[in-house]
Amino acid sequence: MKNGRATFGSRLSAILVAAGSAVGLGNIWRFPYVAGENGGGAFLLIYIGCILLLGLPVLLAEFAIGRNSRRNSVGAYKSIAEKSKGWSIIGYNSVAASFLILGFYFVVSGWTLEYFITSVTGDIAEYTSSTINAERFDAFMLHPVRPIIYTLIFVLLTHTVIVMGVQKGIERSAKMLMPLLFIILIVLSIRSITLPDGIEGLKFFFRPDFSKVTAGTFLDALGQAFFSLSISLGCMITYASYFKDDTDLRTTALNVTLLDSVVAVLAGTVIFPAVFSAGIAPAAGPSLVFITLPSIFNTMSLGAVWSAIFFLLLVLAALTSTISLHEVLTAYVHEEWHLSRKNAARAATLATALLACVASLSLGIWREYTICGSTLFDALDLLTANIMLPLGGLFTSLFVGWKMNGTVLHDEITNRGKLKFGMYRAFVILLRYVCPLLLLMIFLYNSGLFSL
Ligand code: PFF
């Protein structure tokens, strides 16, 4: 405990918990197909550049804000900005974005759970071709209750971890689930690469095809990097508020970034060899996981087992991320509205469950009701990814680069001078000029106000 506030037990816990937030559906489900569509190895190189130049500095900045203030993401800006209360709007943006993201993230997480159960019961054997799978997936979404039940089970799982508390719930679950996730990922990667023609998939994934790279590829890579590292949305601020005073923020940020990138690359080595081995077109878009992959598993011996392991991986990755998004809301309601932690968690669970149910129905029986031509599900994704996330990142970098007291920032990152940070000047320059400029471009590009 620190000033009556819980802290994570060890430095390793800090890394595992933050990596748990970062590693999610974005790495395993989204990264491989975005890379596949954007020139494979070429995208990977650009992505690594974005992570190092922009992701890492913003992640470190959020860690500094969180640990320095030891408050939720709204309270953190209020306390650091002191008299200029306007900055706390960044915190409100992050709480609102976490709520809206949970609205669709819970739904997709529910699907991963459904596919896991279908694999365990062996019913996945009926998913024999992409056409049949597409029909089954559509029928599942159109079912009035099934997708909602899975979504709600996922909400309850998340709620259970959150009410168990910062140490017994969040920290303990990350310490159990993250190593398991890595083991599963490595086993699946070996299985996939050793399939006939698996190496062809690897070549496709790693071979840089620069002809597919456009200016938009850079912005896609940057958006993916921010979503994947869980930055701009208050998660890392909230988690860092539970770090110990002697946690090294520099190495924690570096390790989290490394783990997150390794998982994204490993996910590609699971998906592409399997896809090539089955002779399917690689750039199959978002349906890759729920439509293409089940039929591939069915061509393998022990297909249901591999399928169950793969979807368990997705469930674990999704769960550690939904926990972090939920904690942003719980910590905010608990500390700013002065409710007990349990009641704060209940309020966050009820509100997100309601939003997720409506988002799920918006893909099913309510699909004809749209907002500006998009279903609620798509609208939540578009609004958060295109507007709230880049704006959050933009103002976070401006805040740390220009507003936060330089001595306080330096002290926080160096643990009051105990650690060396030779890159401090470069870090500040990136936050002051480079990150805001690029994030502004992403925002203008995504909102259609600027084109390349
Ligand atoms: N980083 C998670 C992923 O890659 O799936 C998703 C996520 C979690 C985004 C938490 C944002 C966040 F605040």
Side-chain angles (χ1 to χ4, degrees):
M1 298 288 252
K2 170 94 190 159
N3 305 337
R5 215 163 184 278
T7 50
F8 295 134
S10 69
R11 294 174 202 182
L12 180 65
S13 304
I15 296 173
L16 289 179
V17 168
S21 171
V23 170
L25 298 174
N27 302 62
I28 300 168
W29 169 60
R30 193 164 182 276
F31 179 83
Y33 81 76
V34 177
E37 283 169 352
N38 281 288
F43 182 82
L44 199 58
L45 289 176
I46 298 170
Y47 180 77
I48 292 172
C50 290
I51 286 274
L52 292 178
L53 266 181
L54 301 157
L56 194 53
V58 177
L59 178 61
L60 187 55
E62 294 205 349
F63 278 171
I65 298 176
R67 195 181 54 183
N68 183 260
S69 61
R70 296 213 173 276
R71 303 267 295 268
N72 63 86
S73 62
V74 170
Y77 284 100
K78 276 192 193 159
S79 79
I80 296 178
E82 287 173 356
K83 289 183 197 81
S84 348
K85 292 276 181 261
W87 288 99
S88 58
I89 195 148
I90 314 175
Y92 287 110
N93 176 65
S94 71
V95 170
S98 296
F99 170 65
L100 299 178
I101 289 185
L102 273 178
F104 69 88
Y105 209 90
F106 269 143
V107 176
V108 184
S109 306
W111 299 344
T112 64
L113 193 59
E114 203 269 352
Y115 273 68
F116 170 64
I117 306 275
T118 311
S119 308
V120 171
T121 56
D123 291 344
I124 200 89
E126 290 161 26
Y127 284 64
T128 44
S129 75
S130 290
T131 328
I132 294 176
N133 300 356
E135 279 166 14
R136 286 187 152 260
F137 187 56
D138 206 42
F140 167 64
M141 288 206 291
L142 273 170
H143 196 282
V145 283
R146 268 182 67 202
I148 291 194
I149 290 190
Y150 284 105
T151 299
L152 290 180
I153 296 175
F154 218 94
V155 175
L156 270 183
L157 280 174
T158 309
H159 178 82
T160 310
V161 174
I162 293 289
V163 287
M164 283 164 80
V166 169
Q167 284 170 342
K168 294 210 175 95
I170 300 174
E171 182 177 350
R172 212 162 25 162
S173 65
K175 276 165 118 176
M176 276 171 3
L177 302 184
M178 290 309 284
L180 184 60
L181 185 143
F182 271 96
I183 294 170
I184 294 181
L185 201 52
I186 291 167
V187 170
L188 281 172
S189 172
I190 295 173
R191 168 73 278 223
S192 187
I193 294 170
T194 51
L195 285 169
D197 279 339
I199 296 292
E200 288 310 306
L202 275 194
K203 282 192 196 149
F204 169 80
F205 182 44
F206 288 113
R207 189 186 315 118
D209 177 359
F210 286 101
S211 70
K212 295 237 179 81
V213 174
T214 61
T217 310
F218 286 85
L219 298 184
D220 277 349
L222 198 51
Q224 171 69 18
F226 270 62
F227 185 78
S228 188
L229 281 176
S230 303
I231 44 188
S232 317
L233 294 167
C235 280
M236 293 306 186
I237 295 182
T238 309
Y239 271 179
S241 72
Y242 305 126
F243 286 179
K244 277 180 175 309
D245 280 341
D246 65 353
T247 298
D248 181 347
L249 300 186
R250 304 160 319 158
T251 52
T252 307
L254 195 62
N255 282 316
V256 170
T257 308
L258 266 176
L259 289 177
D260 187 59
S261 310
V262 166
V263 170
V265 173
L266 276 177
T269 69
V270 171
I271 289 177
F272 288 110
V275 168
F276 269 79
S277 159
I280 295 173
S287 58
L288 191 63
V289 162
F290 296 104
I291 294 174
T292 313
L293 280 183
S295 51
I296 298 178
F297 289 128
N298 271 325
T299 61
M300 293 161 54
S301 56
L302 296 176
V305 175
W306 291 113
S307 176
I309 296 178
F310 178 75
F311 285 107
L312 177 62
L313 170 74
L314 281 177
V315 168
L316 299 182
L319 184 60
T320 50
S321 293
T322 54
I323 291 170
S324 70
L325 286 160
H326 197 299
E327 180 60 21
V328 173
L329 305 182
T330 304
Y332 163 69
V333 175
H334 172 46
E335 290 169 13
E336 302 298 311
W337 296 4
H338 309 292
L339 291 187
S340 70
R341 193 179 151 87
K342 270 216 170 83
N343 283 339
R346 284 187 190 128
T349 299
L350 259 177
T352 48
L354 201 67
L355 181 66
C357 287
V358 180
S360 176
L361 289 169
S362 81
L363 293 177
I365 52 175
W366 289 350
R367 35 175 89 152
E368 72 268 25
Y369 302 107
T370 55
I371 307 164
C372 304
S374 303
T375 60
L376 174 67
F377 179 95
D378 290 334
L380 293 175
D381 182 8
L382 293 173
L383 176 67
T384 50
N386 293 348
I387 315 264
M388 299 173 95
L389 194 143
L391 281 185
L394 167 65
F395 286 103
T396 305
S397 344
L398 290 176
F399 177 79
V400 181
W402 295 97
K403 173 75 193 161
M404 194 168 168
N405 179 315
T407 318
V408 172
L409 178 65
H410 189 267
D411 275 359
E412 198 57 56
I413 295 178
T414 58
N415 288 355
R416 272 141 290 279
K418 285 192 208 96
L419 308 167
K420 289 248 162 318
F421 189 36
M423 315 268 282
Y424 184 72
R425 277 218 58 76
F427 166 70
V428 173
I429 290 173
L430 284 172
L431 287 176
R432 282 193 170 180
Y433 308 103
V434 185
C435 297
L437 196 73
L438 285 166
L439 287 161
L440 183 66
M441 275 172 66
I442 297 197
F443 166 68
L444 295 175
Y445 176 80
N446 287 348
S447 52
L449 297 168
F450 160 77
S451 66
L452 287 162

